[in-house]
Each structure stands twice: as C-alpha cells, then as structure tokens.
Amino acid sequence: DENLMTMDVTSGRTWMAEICRLWIEEGLQPSCIRDGIPHDDSCRGVHWSGTSHATLCNPQILKTMRQAVMDQAYVVTPHALLEMREDHLDVVDIESAILTGTIERVFEDDPRGRRYEVVGTACDLSTPVGVVARFAGPLLIITVYEKRS
C-alpha cells in the first residue's frame, strides 16, 4: 500500500528492492510470476500487493519499460493484438506510447503481479494510446487501446 511506497521513497528506493530480494530468496515468490506463466490453482508462493499511488511509482519502472521496447524484449498477448486491431493500432504504436508516455495508473489487485497503465501517443504523435503491461520475465503487453476522453 502507500505505506510501503512511502517507506521505499524515504529509504532512497532501497527498501522495496530489499524486501523483494528477500521474498525471492526465501522462496516466497509465486511460481506463476517466477516462471512467467498464467496463475492457476497449482501456483505455489505468496501473492501480495497494495494500492499505491502512481505518483509514488519509481521512475526506474518507466525507464525499464522503455529499455524493453528499445531491446525488443517484450511480448504482446493475443488479447492485446485483438484490442489493437479494433482500434486500428500497430506494434509501432505500442512502442511509441511507451517511449512518449507516462505511468498514469498502477493496478495492484492481480495475484500475478502489478500492472502499469502507460499513456502516450501513437506513432502519428497525436492519437493518445493506453498500454497496460507488467513484468513477467520480459515486458508483457496485456492490452492496448486508443485512449478516448
């Protein structure tokens, strides 16, 4: 929750990294996240999350997303491909949105891990595009859409 994020900010962004390191080291990381597979009843480990505010989100997360785009180290889900087709978007629009965007929301209610909504512009530099992604090994693009008011 916001208390975890506040402690992380106060510690100079070392607190959450240390908690996560220890979580993994002690074998508590959920197997679905460790293995980058969908969550199901066979998953072992402890899921945890909070309701932190996007403004407390570490800028390093967006930097890491952008690096994944530059390195082509991301996966687009079938759901995202369908949504892209409906809104007449292309993979270059995903890349442009992440490279030009900001993290607008953080979703922490999914046992598979935190999701981030990045809003930027398509490659035409005028169409607003929303991208929801999470880290699951590579950057996983969950859905993409034209962001309408």
Side-chain angles (χ1 to χ4, degrees):
D1 67 4
E2 62 271 6
N3 295 323
L4 287 174
M5 294 306 289
T6 300
M7 288 298 296
D8 190 48
V9 170
T10 303
S11 71
R13 298 285 187 190
T14 61
W15 204 69
M16 285 298 293
E18 182 65 6
I19 288 174
C20 291
R21 183 187 68 73
L22 291 170
W23 192 266
I24 292 167
E25 193 175 281
E26 293 298 318
L28 298 172
Q29 180 183 33
S31 57
C32 65
I33 293 172
R34 181 193 65 232
D35 300 337
I37 59 173
H39 177 72
D40 64 23
D41 290 338
S42 68
C43 180
R44 297 292 175 251
V46 180
H47 291 275
W48 63 281
S49 68
T51 57
S52 66
H53 304 284
T55 56
L56 293 176
C57 195
N58 187 333
Q60 182 64 34
I61 292 167
L62 188 57
K63 182 178 180 181
T64 303
M65 287 180 168
R66 289 177 174 158
Q67 190 61 54
V69 167
M70 300 301 290
D71 295 342
Q72 300 288 292
Y74 62 89
V75 175
V76 181
T77 65
H79 172 77
L81 291 170
L82 289 172
E83 294 296 318
M84 288 166 52
R85 185 179 328 149
E86 285 182 16
D87 287 347
H88 308 287
L89 298 170
D90 198 285
V91 172
V92 292
D93 296 315
I94 294 173
E95 293 175 346
S96 180
I98 292 171
L99 293 173
T100 63
T102 59
I103 295 175
E104 298 291 319
R105 294 189 292 173
V106 180
F107 303 96
E108 305 217 25
D109 57 348
D110 190 325
R112 293 168 292 185
R114 182 178 295 139
R115 294 170 290 144
Y116 303 93
E117 179 191 40
V118 177
V119 177
T121 57
C123 63
D124 65 8
L125 298 179
S126 64
T127 305
V129 173
V131 177
V132 176
R134 84 160 41 92
F135 292 98
L139 181 63
L140 182 65
I141 308 299
I142 298 165
T143 193
V144 180
Y145 47 89
E146 182 176 344
K147 184 87 173 177
R148 297 179 178 97
S149 300

